[in-house]
């Protein structure tokens, strides 16, 4: 079927079989490899994207469900002037090691801060509850998200 | 998979009209989280997906007369953020807030969780304590189905192919209730099958005797159960910790009968009794923790 949606600020149309996952649509049909596949069954959050402002797992969505939606992936975060402030906060707080979990966490953080610009600890824990990181032990991730909330304009 | 069709009705009438014609070869798609798992496992087996996730008719949460009505298309996070549910069905809010991870809570729906008839449908015990019924629409009819009748067995939903759950009707919690809670063991989806969940709602008199109690358990029975024997044993009694361990032990043995002696039952029995005492412990004392017998 032909799927129409807004991807990172641009209206696009793409043909894919209905059974395709949104994750495969992004990676295999559109060549956007920033969104990762970890488990493929909704447990790790590596594939998180934003759909109509909410973080969702692209591996658990049919591509067809994106039709008519507004989608933001990690590729849409960076601006012409450089990294997004959330990305800077992750870098500055050493919240990235191998980086495999990072795109998904960035998207959950982006959705969280849009809804709650100054999240407390509980808000952060809730927002990242569906993400696994094998490297960092989460502490630096939480600090990065806190910092991004305190300093939404970026550049410390 | 290339020949699956996708159909997205604009309103409820369109949805049930479509299902009347194509229901037998169609699967209803709401959040999609369970269907994608089936697709990956190669068990989706369908010609068509009917996407009901954008039907506003399935999105309402409201008090109508003395009933609490929750649309089947309401997501877990919409439950978590609803003040009406926090006030009138708080155990359901707790269950929704602990449901998988945030990204899944953003899309998984109440109707989908119930219709999937999974033994680990965490939302079912909190619905059972409110004597919930599902309102089920087809093109020509609307009927009320009790949750107990809906699950014919694990992953087997007894609804007809042309039927769609539109909403759940609950008895709202009243101000006199003194305890309501939901608790579970096992956190992540991967552990779903060994997961155990319980929901309770109760009212105690001033002398602490139990004047009203609803108790339901999910996960290790083939389908979720509302345990009348537990309720009738506790009703009218002033609960002590010994009484709770006693009833919890009976419940665990009853579960063994229901489930047959599966190997997993060996460790589940103490878990069942322990969780039972923990969730009901506030009936005994307002603070502190139970000690194992
Ligand atoms: S790849 Fe989607 S949650 Fe793990
Ligand atoms: S940085 Fe390696 S998994 Fe998170």
């Amino acid at each position: 079927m032909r799927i129409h949606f807004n991807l990172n600020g641009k209206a696009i149309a793409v043909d894919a079989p209905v059974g395709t996952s949104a994750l495969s649509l992004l990676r295999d049909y559109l060549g956007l490899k920033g969104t990762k596949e970890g488990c493929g069954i909704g447990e790790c959050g590596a594939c998180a994207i934003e759909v109509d402002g909410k973080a969702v797992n692209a591996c658990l969505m049919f591509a067809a469900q994106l039709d008519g939606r507004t989608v933001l992936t990690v590729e849409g975060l960076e601006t012409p002037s450089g990294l997004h402030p959330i990305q800077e906060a992750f870098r500055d707080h050493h919240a990235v090691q191998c980086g495999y979990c990072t795109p998904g966490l960035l998207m959950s953080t982006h959705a969280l801060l849009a809804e709650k610009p100054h999240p407390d600890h509980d808000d952060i824990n809730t927002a990242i509850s569906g993400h696994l990181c094998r490297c960092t032990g989460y502490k630096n991730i939480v600090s990065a998200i806190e910092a991004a909330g305190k300093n939404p304009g970026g550049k410390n | 998979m290339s020949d699956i069709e996708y159909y997205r009705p604009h309103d409820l009438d369109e949805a049930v009209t479509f299902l009347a014609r194509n229901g037998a070869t169609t699967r209803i798609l709401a959040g999609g989280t369970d269907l994608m798992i089936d697709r990956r496992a190669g068990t989706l087996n369908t010609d068509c997906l009917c996407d009901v996730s954008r039907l506003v008719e399935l999105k309402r949460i409201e008090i109508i007369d003395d009933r609490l009505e929750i649309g089947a298309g309401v997501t877990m996070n919409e439950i978590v953020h609803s003040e009406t549910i926090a006030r009138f069905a708080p155990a359901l809010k707790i269950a929704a807030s602990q449901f998988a991870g945030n990204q899944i809570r953003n899309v998984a729906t109440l109707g989908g969780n119930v219709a999937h008839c999974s033994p680990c449908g965490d939302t079912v015990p909190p619905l059972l304590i409110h004597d919930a019924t599902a309102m089920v629409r087809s093109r020509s009819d609307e009927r009320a189905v009790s949750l107990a009748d809906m699950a014919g067995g694990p992953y087997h939903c007894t609804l007809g192919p042309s039927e769609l759950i539109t909403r759940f009707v609950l008895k709202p919690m009243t101000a006199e209730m003194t305890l309501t809670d939901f608790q579970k063991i096992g956190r992540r989806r991967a552990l779903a099958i060994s997961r155990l969940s319980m929901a309770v709602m109760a009212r105690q008199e001033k002398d602490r005797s139990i004047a009203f109690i609803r108790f339901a358990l999910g996960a290790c029975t083939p389908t979720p159960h509302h345990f009348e024997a537990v309720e009738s044993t506790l009703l009218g009694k002033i609960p002590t910790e010994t009484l709770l361990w006693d009833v919890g032990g009976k419940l665990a043995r009853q579960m063994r009968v229901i489930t047959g002696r599966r190997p997993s039952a060996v460790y589940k029995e103490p878990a069942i009794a322990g969780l039972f005492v923990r969730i009901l412990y506030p009936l005994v004392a307002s603070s502190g923790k139970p000690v194992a017998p």
Side-chain angles (χ1 to χ4, degrees), chain A residues 18-19 21 37 40-43 45 55-57 59-61 64-65 67 69 126 129-131, chain B residues 4 6 8 29-32 36-37 39-40 54 101-107 187-190:
Chain A
V18 169
S21 72
E37 173 159 33
I41 53 168
E43 288 181 8
V56 304
N57 288 335
C59 74
L60 288 191
M61 239 189 187
Q65 289 176 279
D67 187 56
R69 302 291 202 194
T126 302
S129 60
H131 290 269
Chain B
I4 303 181
Y6 172 82
R8 193 169 68 233
L29 170 70
M36 275 304 288
I37 302 260
R39 187 209 64 123
R40 204 181 154 92
R54 299 183 208 183
N102 193 50
Q103 302 94 280
I104 292 180
R105 291 194 292 272
N106 275 333
V107 288
R187 215 183 121 249
R188 299 196 73 87
R189 251 181 114 85

mmCIF file of all heavy atoms in Angstrom, chain A residues 18-19 21 37 40-43 45 55-57 59-61 64-65 67 69 126 129-131, chain B residues 4 6 8 29-32 36-37 39-40 54 101-107 187-190:
data_model
loop_
_atom_site.group_PDB
_atom_site.id
_atom_site.type_symbol
_atom_site.label_atom_id
_atom_site.label_comp_id
_atom_site.label_asym_id
_atom_site.label_seq_id
_atom_site.Cartn_x
_atom_site.Cartn_y
_atom_site.Cartn_z
ATOM 1 N N VAL A 18 1.650 -4.139 3.595
ATOM 2 C CA VAL A 18 0.992 -3.811 4.861
ATOM 3 C C VAL A 18 1.684 -4.474 6.055
ATOM 4 O O VAL A 18 1.748 -3.917 7.138
ATOM 5 C CB VAL A 18 -0.497 -4.223 4.789
ATOM 6 C CG1 VAL A 18 -1.157 -4.167 6.151
ATOM 7 C CG2 VAL A 18 -1.226 -3.316 3.807
ATOM 8 N N GLY A 19 2.220 -5.661 5.845
ATOM 9 C CA GLY A 19 2.834 -6.383 6.960
ATOM 10 C C GLY A 19 4.200 -5.854 7.385
ATOM 11 O O GLY A 19 4.769 -6.329 8.363
ATOM 12 N N SER A 21 6.989 -3.703 9.174
ATOM 13 C CA SER A 21 6.981 -2.939 10.423
ATOM 14 C C SER A 21 7.401 -1.513 10.128
ATOM 15 O O SER A 21 8.082 -1.238 9.123
ATOM 16 C CB SER A 21 7.937 -3.562 11.436
ATOM 17 O OG SER A 21 9.277 -3.330 11.049
ATOM 18 N N GLU A 37 17.390 -1.695 15.570
ATOM 19 C CA GLU A 37 16.629 -2.856 16.008
ATOM 20 C C GLU A 37 17.452 -3.607 17.041
ATOM 21 O O GLU A 37 18.580 -4.026 16.770
ATOM 22 C CB GLU A 37 16.306 -3.794 14.853
ATOM 23 C CG GLU A 37 15.657 -5.090 15.357
ATOM 24 C CD GLU A 37 14.868 -5.845 14.309
ATOM 25 O OE1 GLU A 37 15.267 -5.803 13.137
ATOM 26 O OE2 GLU A 37 13.865 -6.479 14.674
ATOM 27 N N GLY A 40 13.436 -6.479 18.687
ATOM 28 C CA GLY A 40 12.374 -6.689 17.705
ATOM 29 C C GLY A 40 11.038 -7.074 18.304
ATOM 30 O O GLY A 40 10.078 -7.312 17.576
ATOM 31 N N ILE A 41 10.941 -7.147 19.617
ATOM 32 C CA ILE A 41 9.671 -7.551 20.235
ATOM 33 C C ILE A 41 9.238 -6.616 21.360
ATOM 34 O O ILE A 41 8.522 -7.008 22.276
ATOM 35 C CB ILE A 41 9.726 -9.008 20.754
ATOM 36 C CG1 ILE A 41 10.928 -9.213 21.673
ATOM 37 C CG2 ILE A 41 9.757 -9.993 19.606
ATOM 38 C CD1 ILE A 41 10.887 -10.530 22.448
ATOM 39 N N GLY A 42 9.685 -5.381 21.299
ATOM 40 C CA GLY A 42 9.119 -4.395 22.218
ATOM 41 C C GLY A 42 9.754 -4.324 23.590
ATOM 42 O O GLY A 42 9.182 -3.714 24.494
ATOM 43 N N GLU A 43 10.925 -4.916 23.769
ATOM 44 C CA GLU A 43 11.469 -4.947 25.123
ATOM 45 C C GLU A 43 12.646 -4.021 25.365
ATOM 46 O O GLU A 43 13.027 -3.814 26.518
ATOM 47 C CB GLU A 43 11.892 -6.370 25.465
ATOM 48 C CG GLU A 43 10.696 -7.244 25.665
ATOM 49 C CD GLU A 43 11.071 -8.654 26.035
ATOM 50 O OE1 GLU A 43 12.265 -8.904 26.273
ATOM 51 O OE2 GLU A 43 10.169 -9.481 26.073
ATOM 52 N N GLY A 45 13.566 -0.863 23.430
ATOM 53 C CA GLY A 45 13.435 0.567 23.139
ATOM 54 C C GLY A 45 14.459 1.118 22.155
ATOM 55 O O GLY A 45 14.463 2.313 21.885
ATOM 56 N N ALA A 55 6.419 8.840 22.169
ATOM 57 C CA ALA A 55 7.437 7.823 21.907
ATOM 58 C C ALA A 55 6.764 6.464 21.755
ATOM 59 O O ALA A 55 5.937 6.082 22.587
ATOM 60 C CB ALA A 55 8.439 7.784 23.059
ATOM 61 N N VAL A 56 7.102 5.759 20.683
ATOM 62 C CA VAL A 56 6.555 4.418 20.458
ATOM 63 C C VAL A 56 7.672 3.523 19.927
ATOM 64 O O VAL A 56 8.674 4.013 19.410
ATOM 65 C CB VAL A 56 5.384 4.432 19.449
ATOM 66 C CG1 VAL A 56 4.286 5.394 19.891
ATOM 67 C CG2 VAL A 56 5.866 4.819 18.061
ATOM 68 N N ASN A 57 7.472 2.213 20.047
ATOM 69 C CA ASN A 57 8.454 1.278 19.505
ATOM 70 C C ASN A 57 8.120 0.975 18.048
ATOM 71 O O ASN A 57 7.076 0.399 17.751
ATOM 72 C CB ASN A 57 8.434 -0.029 20.295
ATOM 73 C CG ASN A 57 9.046 0.126 21.676
ATOM 74 O OD1 ASN A 57 9.860 1.007 21.900
ATOM 75 N ND2 ASN A 57 8.639 -0.731 22.608
ATOM 76 N N CYS A 59 9.315 -1.193 16.163
ATOM 77 C CA CYS A 59 9.289 -2.624 15.842
ATOM 78 C C CYS A 59 7.923 -3.231 16.110
ATOM 79 O O CYS A 59 7.610 -4.294 15.615
ATOM 80 C CB CYS A 59 10.367 -3.387 16.614
ATOM 81 S SG CYS A 59 10.007 -3.612 18.376
ATOM 82 N N LEU A 60 7.105 -2.575 16.932
ATOM 83 C CA LEU A 60 5.789 -3.113 17.272
ATOM 84 C C LEU A 60 4.674 -2.378 16.550
ATOM 85 O O LEU A 60 3.529 -2.391 16.966
ATOM 86 C CB LEU A 60 5.534 -3.023 18.785
ATOM 87 C CG LEU A 60 6.315 -3.975 19.669
ATOM 88 C CD1 LEU A 60 5.755 -3.952 21.084
ATOM 89 C CD2 LEU A 60 6.269 -5.398 19.127
ATOM 90 N N MET A 61 5.021 -1.708 15.475
ATOM 91 C CA MET A 61 4.022 -0.954 14.724
ATOM 92 C C MET A 61 4.039 -1.402 13.286
ATOM 93 O O MET A 61 5.105 -1.623 12.717
ATOM 94 C CB MET A 61 4.411 0.514 14.757
ATOM 95 C CG MET A 61 3.350 1.350 15.353
ATOM 96 S SD MET A 61 3.723 3.065 15.145
ATOM 97 C CE MET A 61 2.390 3.626 16.153
ATOM 98 N N ALA A 64 1.774 0.678 8.072
ATOM 99 C CA ALA A 64 0.499 1.293 7.704
ATOM 100 C C ALA A 64 -0.042 2.200 8.805
ATOM 101 O O ALA A 64 -0.767 3.152 8.541
ATOM 102 C CB ALA A 64 -0.520 0.197 7.381
ATOM 103 N N GLN A 65 0.324 1.905 10.060
ATOM 104 C CA GLN A 65 -0.176 2.729 11.162
ATOM 105 C C GLN A 65 0.419 4.142 11.139
ATOM 106 O O GLN A 65 -0.062 5.025 11.830
ATOM 107 C CB GLN A 65 0.136 2.070 12.518
ATOM 108 C CG GLN A 65 -0.699 0.821 12.785
ATOM 109 C CD GLN A 65 -0.285 0.142 14.091
ATOM 110 O OE1 GLN A 65 0.696 -0.604 14.131
ATOM 111 N NE2 GLN A 65 -0.996 0.422 15.165
ATOM 112 N N ASP A 67 0.440 5.964 8.488
ATOM 113 C CA ASP A 67 -0.276 6.733 7.473
ATOM 114 C C ASP A 67 -1.020 7.915 8.106
ATOM 115 O O ASP A 67 -1.785 7.750 9.057
ATOM 116 C CB ASP A 67 -1.276 5.811 6.766
ATOM 117 C CG ASP A 67 -1.925 6.495 5.584
ATOM 118 O OD1 ASP A 67 -1.198 6.960 4.698
ATOM 119 O OD2 ASP A 67 -3.173 6.588 5.574
ATOM 120 N N ARG A 69 0.257 10.279 9.862
ATOM 121 C CA ARG A 69 0.852 10.728 11.127
ATOM 122 C C ARG A 69 2.051 11.642 10.908
ATOM 123 O O ARG A 69 2.589 11.743 9.795
ATOM 124 C CB ARG A 69 1.348 9.507 11.921
ATOM 125 C CG ARG A 69 0.288 8.497 12.237
ATOM 126 C CD ARG A 69 -0.677 9.056 13.226
ATOM 127 N NE ARG A 69 -1.375 7.989 13.934
ATOM 128 C CZ ARG A 69 -2.468 8.193 14.666
ATOM 129 N NH1 ARG A 69 -2.964 9.396 14.774
ATOM 130 N NH2 ARG A 69 -3.042 7.195 15.286
ATOM 131 N N THR A 126 10.008 6.979 34.466
ATOM 132 C CA THR A 126 8.850 6.469 33.733
ATOM 133 C C THR A 126 9.124 6.526 32.230
ATOM 134 O O THR A 126 8.857 5.575 31.499
ATOM 135 C CB THR A 126 7.600 7.313 34.058
ATOM 136 O OG1 THR A 126 7.392 7.255 35.462
ATOM 137 C CG2 THR A 126 6.379 6.788 33.349
ATOM 138 N N SER A 129 11.542 3.808 31.122
ATOM 139 C CA SER A 129 11.290 2.455 31.649
ATOM 140 C C SER A 129 11.330 1.393 30.551
ATOM 141 O O SER A 129 11.634 0.242 30.819
ATOM 142 C CB SER A 129 9.930 2.422 32.350
ATOM 143 O OG SER A 129 8.911 2.768 31.426
ATOM 144 N N GLY A 130 11.031 1.776 29.328
ATOM 145 C CA GLY A 130 11.013 0.777 28.251
ATOM 146 C C GLY A 130 12.301 0.732 27.458
ATOM 147 O O GLY A 130 12.308 0.289 26.316
ATOM 148 N N HIS A 131 13.397 1.196 28.051
ATOM 149 C CA HIS A 131 14.679 1.198 27.339
ATOM 150 C C HIS A 131 15.716 0.381 28.092
ATOM 151 O O HIS A 131 15.858 0.516 29.303
ATOM 152 C CB HIS A 131 15.214 2.631 27.217
ATOM 153 C CG HIS A 131 14.406 3.472 26.275
ATOM 154 N ND1 HIS A 131 14.691 3.568 24.939
ATOM 155 C CD2 HIS A 131 13.305 4.222 26.481
ATOM 156 C CE1 HIS A 131 13.799 4.369 24.366
ATOM 157 N NE2 HIS A 131 12.949 4.776 25.282
ATOM 158 N N ILE B 4 -1.593 -8.837 2.582
ATOM 159 C CA ILE B 4 -2.514 -8.365 3.621
ATOM 160 C C ILE B 4 -3.069 -7.003 3.200
ATOM 161 O O ILE B 4 -2.357 -6.171 2.667
ATOM 162 C CB ILE B 4 -1.809 -8.199 4.987
ATOM 163 C CG1 ILE B 4 -1.167 -9.513 5.433
ATOM 164 C CG2 ILE B 4 -2.796 -7.747 6.059
ATOM 165 C CD1 ILE B 4 -0.475 -9.403 6.782
ATOM 166 N N TYR B 6 -5.123 -3.407 4.282
ATOM 167 C CA TYR B 6 -5.244 -2.537 5.445
ATOM 168 C C TYR B 6 -6.465 -1.667 5.245
ATOM 169 O O TYR B 6 -6.629 -1.035 4.198
ATOM 170 C CB TYR B 6 -3.991 -1.668 5.549
ATOM 171 C CG TYR B 6 -4.037 -0.579 6.602
ATOM 172 C CD1 TYR B 6 -3.752 -0.877 7.936
ATOM 173 C CD2 TYR B 6 -4.332 0.740 6.266
ATOM 174 C CE1 TYR B 6 -3.763 0.128 8.903
ATOM 175 C CE2 TYR B 6 -4.345 1.741 7.227
ATOM 176 C CZ TYR B 6 -4.065 1.435 8.546
ATOM 177 O OH TYR B 6 -4.074 2.427 9.493
ATOM 178 N N ARG B 8 -8.933 1.262 7.207
ATOM 179 C CA ARG B 8 -9.086 2.127 8.383
ATOM 180 C C ARG B 8 -10.419 2.861 8.308
ATOM 181 O O ARG B 8 -10.563 3.835 7.579
ATOM 182 C CB ARG B 8 -7.939 3.137 8.464
ATOM 183 C CG ARG B 8 -7.890 3.832 9.812
ATOM 184 C CD ARG B 8 -6.611 4.621 9.996
ATOM 185 N NE ARG B 8 -6.534 5.748 9.118
ATOM 186 C CZ ARG B 8 -5.505 6.003 8.302
ATOM 187 N NH1 ARG B 8 -4.458 5.199 8.264
ATOM 188 N NH2 ARG B 8 -5.527 7.057 7.526
ATOM 189 N N LEU B 29 -7.037 -4.315 14.446
ATOM 190 C CA LEU B 29 -5.766 -3.715 14.841
ATOM 191 C C LEU B 29 -6.067 -2.493 15.701
ATOM 192 O O LEU B 29 -6.787 -1.596 15.276
ATOM 193 C CB LEU B 29 -5.006 -3.295 13.576
ATOM 194 C CG LEU B 29 -3.753 -2.443 13.710
ATOM 195 C CD1 LEU B 29 -2.625 -3.250 14.325
ATOM 196 C CD2 LEU B 29 -3.319 -1.920 12.342
ATOM 197 N N ALA B 30 -5.516 -2.482 16.931
ATOM 198 C CA ALA B 30 -5.678 -1.278 17.755
ATOM 199 C C ALA B 30 -4.276 -0.695 17.931
ATOM 200 O O ALA B 30 -3.758 -0.036 17.042
ATOM 201 C CB ALA B 30 -6.365 -1.614 19.062
ATOM 202 N N GLY B 31 -3.596 -1.000 19.038
ATOM 203 C CA GLY B 31 -2.230 -0.507 19.175
ATOM 204 C C GLY B 31 -1.264 -1.246 18.260
ATOM 205 O O GLY B 31 -0.255 -0.719 17.818
ATOM 206 N N GLY B 32 -1.572 -2.507 17.998
ATOM 207 C CA GLY B 32 -0.741 -3.306 17.108
ATOM 208 C C GLY B 32 0.379 -4.056 17.806
ATOM 209 O O GLY B 32 1.063 -4.864 17.182
ATOM 210 N N MET B 36 1.896 -7.372 16.054
ATOM 211 C CA MET B 36 3.244 -7.366 15.479
ATOM 212 C C MET B 36 4.064 -8.540 16.006
ATOM 213 O O MET B 36 4.887 -9.104 15.294
ATOM 214 C CB MET B 36 3.965 -6.056 15.811
ATOM 215 C CG MET B 36 3.677 -4.915 14.862
ATOM 216 S SD MET B 36 4.010 -5.243 13.117
ATOM 217 C CE MET B 36 5.779 -5.255 13.094
ATOM 218 N N ILE B 37 3.818 -8.902 17.262
ATOM 219 C CA ILE B 37 4.505 -10.074 17.816
ATOM 220 C C ILE B 37 4.054 -11.325 17.054
ATOM 221 O O ILE B 37 4.868 -12.158 16.669
ATOM 222 C CB ILE B 37 4.189 -10.230 19.326
ATOM 223 C CG1 ILE B 37 4.609 -8.962 20.079
ATOM 224 C CG2 ILE B 37 4.779 -11.504 19.896
ATOM 225 C CD1 ILE B 37 5.900 -9.008 20.811
ATOM 226 N N ARG B 39 2.929 -11.380 14.002
ATOM 227 C CA ARG B 39 3.463 -11.302 12.646
ATOM 228 C C ARG B 39 4.889 -11.846 12.615
ATOM 229 O O ARG B 39 5.288 -12.617 11.761
ATOM 230 C CB ARG B 39 3.457 -9.861 12.148
ATOM 231 C CG ARG B 39 3.842 -9.726 10.686
ATOM 232 C CD ARG B 39 4.495 -8.399 10.406
ATOM 233 N NE ARG B 39 5.765 -8.282 11.125
ATOM 234 C CZ ARG B 39 6.941 -8.046 10.562
ATOM 235 N NH1 ARG B 39 7.021 -7.889 9.269
ATOM 236 N NH2 ARG B 39 8.032 -7.965 11.284
ATOM 237 N N ARG B 40 5.660 -11.419 13.630
ATOM 238 C CA ARG B 40 7.050 -11.845 13.691
ATOM 239 C C ARG B 40 7.165 -13.349 13.901
ATOM 240 O O ARG B 40 8.052 -14.007 13.370
ATOM 241 C CB ARG B 40 7.735 -11.103 14.839
ATOM 242 C CG ARG B 40 9.217 -10.997 14.687
ATOM 243 C CD ARG B 40 9.779 -10.271 15.901
ATOM 244 N NE ARG B 40 11.148 -10.663 16.102
ATOM 245 C CZ ARG B 40 12.185 -10.009 15.584
ATOM 246 N NH1 ARG B 40 11.988 -8.929 14.867
ATOM 247 N NH2 ARG B 40 13.399 -10.437 15.800
ATOM 248 N N ARG B 54 -8.059 4.847 15.519
ATOM 249 C CA ARG B 54 -8.356 6.285 15.465
ATOM 250 C C ARG B 54 -9.851 6.583 15.614
ATOM 251 O O ARG B 54 -10.293 7.699 15.355
ATOM 252 C CB ARG B 54 -7.828 6.876 14.150
ATOM 253 C CG ARG B 54 -6.322 6.693 14.056
ATOM 254 C CD ARG B 54 -5.708 7.306 12.824
ATOM 255 N NE ARG B 54 -4.502 6.564 12.478
ATOM 256 C CZ ARG B 54 -3.689 6.875 11.491
ATOM 257 N NH1 ARG B 54 -3.943 7.933 10.753
ATOM 258 N NH2 ARG B 54 -2.619 6.137 11.251
ATOM 259 N N GLY B 101 6.643 -1.048 28.970
ATOM 260 C CA GLY B 101 7.387 0.212 29.029
ATOM 261 C C GLY B 101 6.554 1.359 28.486
ATOM 262 O O GLY B 101 5.477 1.153 27.920
ATOM 263 N N ASN B 102 7.068 2.566 28.641
ATOM 264 C CA ASN B 102 6.312 3.755 28.259
ATOM 265 C C ASN B 102 5.892 3.750 26.791
ATOM 266 O O ASN B 102 4.780 4.147 26.455
ATOM 267 C CB ASN B 102 7.164 4.994 28.564
ATOM 268 C CG ASN B 102 6.362 6.265 28.504
ATOM 269 O OD1 ASN B 102 5.301 6.359 29.118
ATOM 270 N ND2 ASN B 102 6.828 7.224 27.749
ATOM 271 N N GLN B 103 6.770 3.307 25.893
ATOM 272 C CA GLN B 103 6.436 3.363 24.470
ATOM 273 C C GLN B 103 5.270 2.424 24.160
ATOM 274 O O GLN B 103 4.471 2.683 23.273
ATOM 275 C CB GLN B 103 7.622 2.948 23.591
ATOM 276 C CG GLN B 103 8.884 3.779 23.774
ATOM 277 C CD GLN B 103 9.825 3.136 24.767
ATOM 278 O OE1 GLN B 103 9.628 3.258 25.973
ATOM 279 N NE2 GLN B 103 10.850 2.452 24.305
ATOM 280 N N ILE B 104 5.179 1.317 24.898
ATOM 281 C CA ILE B 104 4.055 0.401 24.679
ATOM 282 C C ILE B 104 2.788 0.972 25.309
ATOM 283 O O ILE B 104 1.709 0.909 24.727
ATOM 284 C CB ILE B 104 4.400 -1.004 25.201
ATOM 285 C CG1 ILE B 104 5.504 -1.598 24.325
ATOM 286 C CG2 ILE B 104 3.166 -1.904 25.218
ATOM 287 C CD1 ILE B 104 5.958 -2.980 24.701
ATOM 288 N N ARG B 105 2.941 1.596 26.483
ATOM 289 C CA ARG B 105 1.769 2.215 27.114
ATOM 290 C C ARG B 105 1.167 3.320 26.253
ATOM 291 O O ARG B 105 -0.008 3.629 26.376
ATOM 292 C CB ARG B 105 2.144 2.795 28.488
ATOM 293 C CG ARG B 105 2.454 1.744 29.526
ATOM 294 C CD ARG B 105 2.487 2.327 30.925
ATOM 295 N NE ARG B 105 3.599 3.225 31.163
ATOM 296 C CZ ARG B 105 4.799 2.853 31.578
ATOM 297 N NH1 ARG B 105 5.043 1.566 31.792
ATOM 298 N NH2 ARG B 105 5.740 3.733 31.788
ATOM 299 N N ASN B 106 1.969 3.919 25.389
ATOM 300 C CA ASN B 106 1.445 4.963 24.500
ATOM 301 C C ASN B 106 0.532 4.418 23.420
ATOM 302 O O ASN B 106 -0.222 5.174 22.822
ATOM 303 C CB ASN B 106 2.605 5.727 23.829
ATOM 304 C CG ASN B 106 3.125 6.857 24.700
ATOM 305 O OD1 ASN B 106 2.380 7.400 25.517
ATOM 306 N ND2 ASN B 106 4.386 7.206 24.537
ATOM 307 N N VAL B 107 0.618 3.147 23.119
ATOM 308 C CA VAL B 107 -0.203 2.609 22.028
ATOM 309 C C VAL B 107 -1.124 1.452 22.432
ATOM 310 O O VAL B 107 -2.214 1.310 21.866
ATOM 311 C CB VAL B 107 0.658 2.161 20.817
ATOM 312 C CG1 VAL B 107 1.210 3.368 20.083
ATOM 313 C CG2 VAL B 107 1.764 1.233 21.222
ATOM 314 N N ARG B 187 8.266 -8.325 35.949
ATOM 315 C CA ARG B 187 8.140 -6.989 35.432
ATOM 316 C C ARG B 187 8.083 -6.925 33.917
ATOM 317 O O ARG B 187 7.204 -6.321 33.341
ATOM 318 C CB ARG B 187 9.314 -6.161 35.932
ATOM 319 C CG ARG B 187 8.934 -4.738 36.193
ATOM 320 C CD ARG B 187 10.152 -3.947 36.605
ATOM 321 N NE ARG B 187 10.314 -2.866 35.664
ATOM 322 C CZ ARG B 187 11.294 -2.779 34.801
ATOM 323 N NH1 ARG B 187 12.215 -3.713 34.756
ATOM 324 N NH2 ARG B 187 11.378 -1.775 33.991
ATOM 325 N N ARG B 188 8.999 -7.518 33.266
ATOM 326 C CA ARG B 188 9.096 -7.279 31.827
ATOM 327 C C ARG B 188 8.242 -8.253 31.039
ATOM 328 O O ARG B 188 7.871 -9.316 31.508
ATOM 329 C CB ARG B 188 10.562 -7.350 31.386
ATOM 330 C CG ARG B 188 11.424 -6.313 32.060
ATOM 331 C CD ARG B 188 12.718 -6.137 31.346
ATOM 332 N NE ARG B 188 12.517 -5.438 30.099
ATOM 333 C CZ ARG B 188 12.517 -4.118 29.986
ATOM 334 N NH1 ARG B 188 12.692 -3.372 31.040
ATOM 335 N NH2 ARG B 188 12.330 -3.558 28.825
ATOM 336 N N ARG B 189 7.949 -7.854 29.819
ATOM 337 C CA ARG B 189 7.136 -8.674 28.941
ATOM 338 C C ARG B 189 7.689 -10.082 28.779
ATOM 339 O O ARG B 189 6.940 -11.033 28.654
ATOM 340 C CB ARG B 189 7.105 -8.023 27.568
ATOM 341 C CG ARG B 189 5.797 -7.416 27.209
ATOM 342 C CD ARG B 189 5.935 -6.840 25.826
ATOM 343 N NE ARG B 189 5.084 -7.558 24.885
ATOM 344 C CZ ARG B 189 3.812 -7.288 24.696
ATOM 345 N NH1 ARG B 189 3.224 -6.352 25.382
ATOM 346 N NH2 ARG B 189 3.113 -7.968 23.828
ATOM 347 N N ALA B 190 8.999 -10.170 28.749
ATOM 348 C CA ALA B 190 9.630 -11.469 28.538
ATOM 349 C C ALA B 190 9.181 -12.470 29.596
ATOM 350 O O ALA B 190 9.156 -13.667 29.366
ATOM 351 C CB ALA B 190 11.139 -11.332 28.583
#
